[in-house]
Amino acid sequence: MLETRISTGLVRGKMTDTEGIVSFLGIPFAAPPVGELRWRAPEKPQPWEGVRDCFDYGYSCWQRDNSQSPYILKCMAENPVKPRPLRMSEDCLYLNVWTPAEALERGEAGTKCAVAMGEKLPVMVWFYGGGLQGGTTDDLIFDGEGLCQYGVILVTANYRTGVFGYFGHPDLEKENVHHATGNYGLMDQIAALQWVHDNIEAFGGDPGNVTIFGCSGGGRSVQGLACSPLAEGLIHHAVCHSAGGLNPNYSLPYSKLKARGEEFVRFCGLSTIEEMRALPAEKLQEIYNGFGFDRWFNITGDGWTLPVTMDEMVRQGRQQDLDYILSTTLNEIRWPLRAPVTVANFKDHKFGERTEIFGKSVTPTTDEQATHYAEWCESYEMKAAQLAWAKVQANQPKKPVYLMSYDHPMPGTNLASHGDDQYYVFHTLKKFYFPSTEEDDALSRVMMLRWTNFAKTGSPNAPGLPEWTPFTNESPLTMTVLSADDWQMKDRSVKEIDHLAEIYAKWESEE
């Protein structure tokens, strides 16, 4: 299957280094969102004549370039496979497909592919993280060769982020037939899912069995898609890594988004949307970089892609009735402190927008506890947000969710931090400089088996593995992952998390 026909023409892929897995990289799933299409819903891509070579990733959306950050420089210095520089363009709506269908046709995929020859394969669609402000499919972490050996097709899709993906403004609302503005990145993701529905059979996939998954901003995107009426029928299972859940600061109230958009236009020194559309993309990103961390654009309840905020959709039981896995890592995120935090000055500590409710909900009794709360506030709120979703959904006529805590430390560290589980789900740890062991490799294979079984059946259980039961009021347990052989259902109750989850579950929307 090096060539196949999709709705826009013939595409040619290439064999990967893993026998039997073919990749098709850089397939356009929408028209370039440039010129008059900036801040508009994605449109259908144009067809082409002849065969399109799909050998390389498409451009990533414009975003802050962190290539000189200490972490990236460390990767560049120590990684055996060098990450290539981020390639950015406003013409960024491309996706990638990895398929083992040819190997299955020949019966060469081995025992990992628990799918009969000739069957359509389950499809897993990955949305990258980056706080909805950046990210790319062109990342070694998300290579599909490992996961696809377990009998699934992987799709990874670019989407607009930051000011290109989530900017909103009253004048954009007026020109829109649905009287809505913002959420363009979410619309891109829906367009990618519609492309999967329309084209994935050409790669051996089943459009009737699609799992969406993502980490951080990608996990938030998964929740937005699960709550959007426009994605009804395009999704069957969903996984939120280190994101998703109920926290009023995960999405912007619609009125606040529009007011922030007006403020940004003034910040640009301009006055009209026509002038904003005329700004070169690189210049627009440069200005947005200086707009301020606390004034980022974000998902909103625009009345069209999301009738209300995604939190409120879940509280009202209007989210799709899917199979869900909600997962966090043990340590998630630690914020370094610029100044000592004590009991005396704790209430004066500036918590970020997403963690301000946590800062108001806890009262430290020692200076050590005050420091701990200030440093680990975002870890608390991530876990509480997912727990709130699990608690709310347990009281609805919906399928209960599977909760997970990933506790296995990253090689060379004693922490399981934000996003670390991605390397294991994609089996790409060895592509990086981490000193991984056979134990890490074994855990990765169990993770892939769990995730692909979830994609096939809606359950992460598999023969020979400890049973993973969903979260219910009668059995409020979380699957705790320590190693390949150590998966345990545990009561992970922590008073601060439980208390915060109750606040999030009952929060009344500003809209």
Side-chain angles (χ1 to χ4, degrees), residues 5 42 61 77 97 101 158 162 224 258 270 281 291 322 324-325 339 343 361 364 418:
R5 181 173 292 278
C61 181
V97 179
N158 280 354
K258 290 187 290 183
L270 303 175
F291 190 49
L322 309 175
Y324 293 101
I325 293 175
V343 171
S361 71
H418 189 66

mmCIF file of all heavy atoms in Angstrom, residues 5 42 61 77 97 101 158 162 224 258 270 281 291 322 324-325 339 343 361 364 418:
data_model
loop_
_atom_site.group_PDB
_atom_site.id
_atom_site.type_symbol
_atom_site.label_atom_id
_atom_site.label_comp_id
_atom_site.label_asym_id
_atom_site.label_seq_id
_atom_site.Cartn_x
_atom_site.Cartn_y
_atom_site.Cartn_z
ATOM 1 N N ARG A 5 -5.851 5.909 -3.072
ATOM 2 C CA ARG A 5 -6.631 7.064 -3.522
ATOM 3 C C ARG A 5 -7.517 7.573 -2.396
ATOM 4 O O ARG A 5 -8.225 6.794 -1.757
ATOM 5 C CB ARG A 5 -7.500 6.709 -4.731
ATOM 6 C CG ARG A 5 -8.313 7.910 -5.257
ATOM 7 C CD ARG A 5 -9.035 7.570 -6.551
ATOM 8 N NE ARG A 5 -8.110 7.370 -7.653
ATOM 9 C CZ ARG A 5 -7.579 8.367 -8.364
ATOM 10 N NH1 ARG A 5 -7.870 9.638 -8.067
ATOM 11 N NH2 ARG A 5 -6.762 8.100 -9.353
ATOM 12 N N PRO A 42 -12.134 25.985 8.782
ATOM 13 C CA PRO A 42 -11.361 25.372 7.691
ATOM 14 C C PRO A 42 -12.263 24.983 6.528
ATOM 15 O O PRO A 42 -13.416 24.592 6.718
ATOM 16 C CB PRO A 42 -10.734 24.137 8.353
ATOM 17 C CG PRO A 42 -11.625 23.838 9.526
ATOM 18 C CD PRO A 42 -12.119 25.164 10.005
ATOM 19 N N CYS A 61 2.010 25.155 12.715
ATOM 20 C CA CYS A 61 1.445 26.495 12.868
ATOM 21 C C CYS A 61 2.472 27.425 13.508
ATOM 22 O O CYS A 61 3.302 26.998 14.326
ATOM 23 C CB CYS A 61 0.191 26.432 13.742
ATOM 24 S SG CYS A 61 -0.641 28.021 13.988
ATOM 25 N N ALA A 77 21.976 18.368 22.075
ATOM 26 C CA ALA A 77 23.346 17.965 22.403
ATOM 27 C C ALA A 77 23.449 16.471 22.692
ATOM 28 O O ALA A 77 24.438 15.835 22.332
ATOM 29 C CB ALA A 77 23.845 18.770 23.604
ATOM 30 N N VAL A 97 -0.452 9.638 8.404
ATOM 31 C CA VAL A 97 -1.067 8.326 8.621
ATOM 32 C C VAL A 97 0.022 7.262 8.638
ATOM 33 O O VAL A 97 0.887 7.238 7.748
ATOM 34 C CB VAL A 97 -2.091 7.997 7.509
ATOM 35 C CG1 VAL A 97 -2.709 6.623 7.742
ATOM 36 C CG2 VAL A 97 -3.171 9.072 7.415
ATOM 37 N N ALA A 101 -1.690 -2.067 7.479
ATOM 38 C CA ALA A 101 -2.659 -2.858 6.722
ATOM 39 C C ALA A 101 -1.988 -3.775 5.713
ATOM 40 O O ALA A 101 -2.406 -4.917 5.513
ATOM 41 C CB ALA A 101 -3.655 -1.936 6.020
ATOM 42 N N ASN A 158 -2.076 18.266 12.557
ATOM 43 C CA ASN A 158 -1.787 19.641 12.957
ATOM 44 C C ASN A 158 -3.089 20.418 13.137
ATOM 45 O O ASN A 158 -4.115 20.090 12.524
ATOM 46 C CB ASN A 158 -0.957 20.355 11.896
ATOM 47 C CG ASN A 158 0.519 20.019 11.957
ATOM 48 O OD1 ASN A 158 0.979 19.332 12.861
ATOM 49 N ND2 ASN A 158 1.271 20.494 10.979
ATOM 50 N N GLY A 162 -2.702 29.151 19.505
ATOM 51 C CA GLY A 162 -2.425 30.523 19.913
ATOM 52 C C GLY A 162 -3.340 31.524 19.245
ATOM 53 O O GLY A 162 -4.545 31.328 19.108
ATOM 54 N N GLY A 224 -12.719 18.983 24.419
ATOM 55 C CA GLY A 224 -13.517 19.875 23.589
ATOM 56 C C GLY A 224 -14.218 19.129 22.467
ATOM 57 O O GLY A 224 -15.391 19.382 22.167
ATOM 58 N N LYS A 258 -13.901 37.661 23.706
ATOM 59 C CA LYS A 258 -14.104 38.773 22.769
ATOM 60 C C LYS A 258 -13.470 40.061 23.290
ATOM 61 O O LYS A 258 -12.867 40.819 22.522
ATOM 62 C CB LYS A 258 -15.593 38.960 22.499
ATOM 63 C CG LYS A 258 -16.213 37.835 21.687
ATOM 64 C CD LYS A 258 -17.647 38.133 21.282
ATOM 65 C CE LYS A 258 -18.582 38.096 22.479
ATOM 66 N NZ LYS A 258 -19.983 38.310 22.062
ATOM 67 N N LEU A 270 -3.682 48.487 15.865
ATOM 68 C CA LEU A 270 -4.588 48.461 14.727
ATOM 69 C C LEU A 270 -6.033 48.639 15.221
ATOM 70 O O LEU A 270 -6.285 48.714 16.417
ATOM 71 C CB LEU A 270 -4.437 47.148 13.958
ATOM 72 C CG LEU A 270 -3.019 46.853 13.445
ATOM 73 C CD1 LEU A 270 -2.959 45.476 12.802
ATOM 74 C CD2 LEU A 270 -2.550 47.920 12.471
ATOM 75 N N ALA A 281 2.125 36.726 9.034
ATOM 76 C CA ALA A 281 1.958 35.744 10.111
ATOM 77 C C ALA A 281 3.087 35.828 11.131
ATOM 78 O O ALA A 281 2.852 35.760 12.346
ATOM 79 C CB ALA A 281 1.862 34.341 9.526
ATOM 80 N N PHE A 291 2.271 39.702 24.289
ATOM 81 C CA PHE A 291 0.956 40.070 24.824
ATOM 82 C C PHE A 291 0.796 39.667 26.282
ATOM 83 O O PHE A 291 0.061 40.301 27.028
ATOM 84 C CB PHE A 291 -0.140 39.438 23.959
ATOM 85 C CG PHE A 291 -1.528 39.929 24.241
ATOM 86 C CD1 PHE A 291 -1.821 41.286 24.315
ATOM 87 C CD2 PHE A 291 -2.572 39.025 24.412
ATOM 88 C CE1 PHE A 291 -3.111 41.733 24.562
ATOM 89 C CE2 PHE A 291 -3.860 39.457 24.653
ATOM 90 C CZ PHE A 291 -4.134 40.819 24.719
ATOM 91 N N LEU A 322 -19.057 8.420 25.426
ATOM 92 C CA LEU A 322 -17.948 7.633 24.903
ATOM 93 C C LEU A 322 -17.300 6.814 26.013
ATOM 94 O O LEU A 322 -17.586 6.991 27.192
ATOM 95 C CB LEU A 322 -16.887 8.573 24.305
ATOM 96 C CG LEU A 322 -17.355 9.625 23.309
ATOM 97 C CD1 LEU A 322 -16.187 10.543 22.931
ATOM 98 C CD2 LEU A 322 -17.939 8.979 22.067
ATOM 99 N N TYR A 324 -14.041 6.635 28.073
ATOM 100 C CA TYR A 324 -13.011 7.623 28.402
ATOM 101 C C TYR A 324 -11.946 7.023 29.305
ATOM 102 O O TYR A 324 -12.261 6.300 30.255
ATOM 103 C CB TYR A 324 -13.602 8.818 29.157
ATOM 104 C CG TYR A 324 -14.544 9.696 28.371
ATOM 105 C CD1 TYR A 324 -15.921 9.568 28.524
ATOM 106 C CD2 TYR A 324 -14.074 10.677 27.501
ATOM 107 C CE1 TYR A 324 -16.804 10.380 27.825
ATOM 108 C CE2 TYR A 324 -14.943 11.495 26.803
ATOM 109 C CZ TYR A 324 -16.310 11.338 26.965
ATOM 110 O OH TYR A 324 -17.174 12.150 26.270
ATOM 111 N N ILE A 325 -10.680 7.345 29.016
ATOM 112 C CA ILE A 325 -9.588 7.201 29.975
ATOM 113 C C ILE A 325 -9.117 8.612 30.316
ATOM 114 O O ILE A 325 -8.837 9.414 29.425
ATOM 115 C CB ILE A 325 -8.403 6.393 29.413
ATOM 116 C CG1 ILE A 325 -8.797 4.933 29.176
ATOM 117 C CG2 ILE A 325 -7.205 6.449 30.371
ATOM 118 C CD1 ILE A 325 -7.696 4.107 28.502
ATOM 119 N N ALA A 339 10.484 33.417 45.045
ATOM 120 C CA ALA A 339 10.724 33.918 46.403
ATOM 121 C C ALA A 339 10.161 32.910 47.384
ATOM 122 O O ALA A 339 9.251 32.139 47.040
ATOM 123 C CB ALA A 339 10.065 35.289 46.586
ATOM 124 N N VAL A 343 3.683 30.427 55.530
ATOM 125 C CA VAL A 343 2.299 30.553 55.992
ATOM 126 C C VAL A 343 1.891 32.020 56.019
ATOM 127 O O VAL A 343 0.779 32.394 55.617
ATOM 128 C CB VAL A 343 2.134 29.918 57.386
ATOM 129 C CG1 VAL A 343 0.761 30.243 57.978
ATOM 130 C CG2 VAL A 343 2.348 28.408 57.313
ATOM 131 N N SER A 361 -8.355 27.611 48.023
ATOM 132 C CA SER A 361 -9.079 26.510 48.676
ATOM 133 C C SER A 361 -8.264 25.795 49.741
ATOM 134 O O SER A 361 -8.807 24.974 50.480
ATOM 135 C CB SER A 361 -9.542 25.496 47.621
ATOM 136 O OG SER A 361 -8.444 24.771 47.103
ATOM 137 N N PRO A 364 -2.293 26.332 54.295
ATOM 138 C CA PRO A 364 -1.127 25.624 54.845
ATOM 139 C C PRO A 364 -0.974 25.910 56.338
ATOM 140 O O PRO A 364 -1.305 27.000 56.816
ATOM 141 C CB PRO A 364 0.046 26.186 54.049
ATOM 142 C CG PRO A 364 -0.416 27.532 53.589
ATOM 143 C CD PRO A 364 -1.883 27.411 53.363
ATOM 144 N N HIS A 418 4.914 15.634 33.779
ATOM 145 C CA HIS A 418 3.951 15.979 32.749
ATOM 146 C C HIS A 418 4.406 15.487 31.374
ATOM 147 O O HIS A 418 5.478 15.842 30.887
ATOM 148 C CB HIS A 418 3.802 17.506 32.730
ATOM 149 C CG HIS A 418 2.702 18.022 31.879
ATOM 150 N ND1 HIS A 418 1.379 17.786 32.139
ATOM 151 C CD2 HIS A 418 2.712 18.806 30.764
ATOM 152 C CE1 HIS A 418 0.621 18.399 31.255
ATOM 153 N NE2 HIS A 418 1.412 19.008 30.392
#
